Amino acid sequence: MSERKTIQEKEENIDKKMWPLVSVIMPVYNAVNYLENAVQSILNQDYDPFELILVDDGSTDGSAAVCDRFSKSDSRVTVIHKKNGGICSARNTAIAAAEGKYIAFCDHDDCYKNGYIRKTVTAAEGNNAAIIKFVYQSEVWYRGRRIDSGREVLPDKTFSVRDTVSEYSLFNCVVRALWNGLYRRDIIVEHAVRFDESVRAGMEDYIFNLEYLKYINNITFLSDCLFIHFNRYEQSTFEKYIPSRLPDILKGACAEKRYLMNFGNLSPQTWISYRNNYLMLLLKNLSHLECPLSSNEKVDFLEQLYRCVNSTGQKTSLSMFYKNPKKLFRVWMFDRRWFRVLLLIHTARYRLLIKKQR
């Protein structure tokens, strides 16, 4: 019997009246143009019961009034108004207020696809799973026009955390985002897993997930695409140049290294993929058109990353190039501290990409 048929049968056999409460957490800050669609995509889910916790993080554009309107018209919606403290503070506030067996997340400008809650709860209950991860669609928009769209492929299968780590593409899918997953609230509460409120520029998901993974043994994946993530160049925090993101990337890289070191003898390919991941994140920001740092200052950030990620003792060699030449050559240059060459290549690449998009 296929994994897909097994999941469908589990879904049919669960008494919907006994399904547990899910707490959906949405931080809201100045998203009046997108908020209604995001909230409505959750309220339209083919699943009950759930609670939607909207945390208005000091919005000034009318988003707070939209939140209040939903709260008054739908008993499943709770609104918390607070002074602006950033997305981590908003999520921590919602976690403290949540009452569900499970916690799910959504950003204020993204959308749940129908079946998100029902299918993830079915999988979690049927597998006694501590975490569910699934496919999401990523759409890149610029000036009201979609310029790119894509999604990854995931299996319908449960893996041990160690096996997931060994398959780094799967592990990175688990770590890099929150909204493509369902989490157990009791694990979060028992182990005081919270968002690092000093991280304010896009690496908070990595650090939260790495902390959560310390307390679980297995990860259940679904092949269903259940979420749409919008990357809008004009509004996206991840596309803007934010100075604090650079140290946040270093913090995430060091946190992941500490986590991976717990697994002993991981393959060279895993360590290469890990180093490449954080190298690309750092190069993207150092190559940003608005980055004001001097060449020497940029090199210093790459040097800090090198001291963190290369302390694993894993190095690339020319004999490994046949597997993924572009990635391996990039990491090979990084291992040899050719930082200025890397900056030159990626600055030119980034500017060409921006020119095409505009």
Side-chain angles (χ1 to χ4, degrees):
M1 183 181 295
S2 69
E3 289 283 346
R4 166 55 48 198
K5 187 174 181 181
T6 300
I7 290 171
Q8 288 175 342
E9 288 181 350
K10 286 176 181 175
E11 181 176 323
E12 292 168 0
N13 291 333
I14 292 176
D15 182 355
K16 292 185 179 181
K17 293 180 181 179
M18 300 299 292
W19 282 10
L21 179 70
V22 176
S23 298
V24 181
I25 291 174
M26 182 186 293
V28 177
Y29 180 71
N30 289 355
V32 71
N33 292 331
Y34 311 106
L35 181 58
E36 186 154 353
N37 285 339
V39 171
Q40 205 63 61
S41 74
I42 297 169
L43 299 182
N44 291 342
Q45 289 289 301
D46 57 350
Y47 177 96
D48 270 320
F50 69 85
E51 61 175 355
L52 171 58
I53 304 174
L54 302 176
V55 183
D56 166 37
D57 193 37
S59 297
T60 59
D61 69 340
S63 294
V66 175
C67 292
D68 288 337
R69 175 164 53 82
F70 275 112
S71 178
K72 291 175 182 177
S73 64
D74 195 311
S75 61
R76 297 172 295 178
V77 180
T78 298
V79 178
I80 301 173
H81 297 285
K82 64 183 287 294
K83 182 179 178 181
N84 180 256
I87 193 170
C88 291
S89 172
R91 286 171 174 163
N92 285 338
T93 298
I95 287 173
E99 297 182 353
K101 179 177 179 179
Y102 298 103
I103 289 180
F105 297 90
C106 187
D107 285 353
H108 57 203
D109 60 343
D110 289 337
C111 288
Y112 278 21
K113 298 185 77 170
N114 204 24
Y116 180 122
I117 303 179
R118 173 175 52 81
K119 290 182 178 181
T120 55
V121 169
T122 297
E125 292 289 286
N127 292 281
N128 192 27
I131 188 171
I132 304 294
K133 285 284 175 170
F134 49 83
V135 177
Y136 66 89
Q137 182 171 326
S138 182
E139 296 194 357
V140 181
W141 289 69
Y142 184 70
R143 294 181 179 176
R145 180 172 59 92
R146 188 174 69 179
I147 59 176
D148 196 14
S149 179
R151 64 177 67 174
E152 292 178 312
V153 176
L154 292 176
D156 281 310
K157 190 173 181 180
T158 297
F159 292 88
S160 70
V161 173
R162 171 176 277 279
D163 286 345
T164 306
V165 167
S166 298
E167 185 63 47
Y168 191 82
S169 61
L170 279 179
F171 179 71
N172 191 41
C173 179
V174 172
V175 171
R176 70 171 177 257
L178 289 166
W179 19 255
N180 65 332
L182 189 75
Y183 299 75
R184 283 249 305 272
R185 188 173 68 90
D186 61 337
I187 295 173
I188 292 172
V189 171
E190 178 182 352
H191 300 286
V193 181
R194 294 294 185 272
F195 292 90
D196 184 342
E197 295 185 19
S198 71
V199 177
R200 298 174 66 95
M203 295 301 297
E204 67 279 350
D205 294 11
Y206 283 80
I207 295 170
F208 179 90
N209 281 318
L210 288 167
E211 186 65 21
Y212 185 87
L213 288 175
K214 292 178 183 178
Y215 307 108
I216 69 173
N217 297 314
N218 299 297
I219 301 169
T220 296
F221 293 91
L222 299 180
S223 63
D224 299 272
C225 182
L226 302 176
F227 188 84
I228 304 176
H229 172 60
F230 294 98
N231 191 346
R232 298 178 175 89
Y233 269 69
E234 296 92 333
Q235 286 86 25
S236 173
T237 298
F238 199 72
E239 296 303 332
K240 296 176 182 176
Y241 177 76
I242 301 175
S244 64
R245 182 176 295 122
L246 297 171
D248 286 349
I249 291 170
L250 297 177
K251 182 180 287 189
C254 292
E256 186 167 322
K257 184 196 75 174
R258 290 192 297 270
Y259 180 79
L260 294 176
M261 292 289 281
N262 293 323
F263 292 89
N265 296 321
L266 294 174
S267 70
Q269 287 74 23
T270 295
W271 287 114
I272 288 168
S273 296
Y274 154 71
R275 298 209 300 284
N276 179 71
N277 183 42
Y278 286 94
L279 175 59
M280 288 299 291
L281 286 170
L282 198 60
L283 284 171
K284 178 177 181 179
N285 288 274
L286 292 174
S287 302
H288 199 285
L289 296 178
E290 297 176 8
C291 179
L293 299 180
S294 68
S295 178
N296 287 340
E297 289 171 324
K298 292 178 179 181
V299 166
D300 182 63
F301 271 106
L302 287 166
E303 180 67 39
Q304 291 181 62
L305 181 66
Y306 176 86
R307 289 198 296 268
C308 171
V309 305
N310 281 51
S311 60
T312 62
Q314 298 288 333
K315 301 288 184 181
T316 52
S317 66
L318 289 172
S319 63
M320 305 167 73
F321 273 40
Y322 71 94
K323 293 187 177 180
N324 191 327
K326 186 181 294 185
K327 178 171 73 176
L328 282 164
F329 188 57
R330 184 187 304 118
V331 177
W332 184 82
M333 287 192 289
F334 179 68
D335 287 347
R336 283 142 189 84
R337 301 167 78 177
W338 293 5
F339 301 147
R340 295 183 190 277
V341 176
L342 284 166
L343 284 167
L344 182 65
I345 292 171
H346 284 272
T347 298
R349 177 177 173 270
Y350 178 79
R351 292 185 177 183
L352 179 61
L353 177 64
I354 293 298
K355 184 177 180 180
K356 286 182 178 180
Q357 290 169 348
R358 292 181 178 177

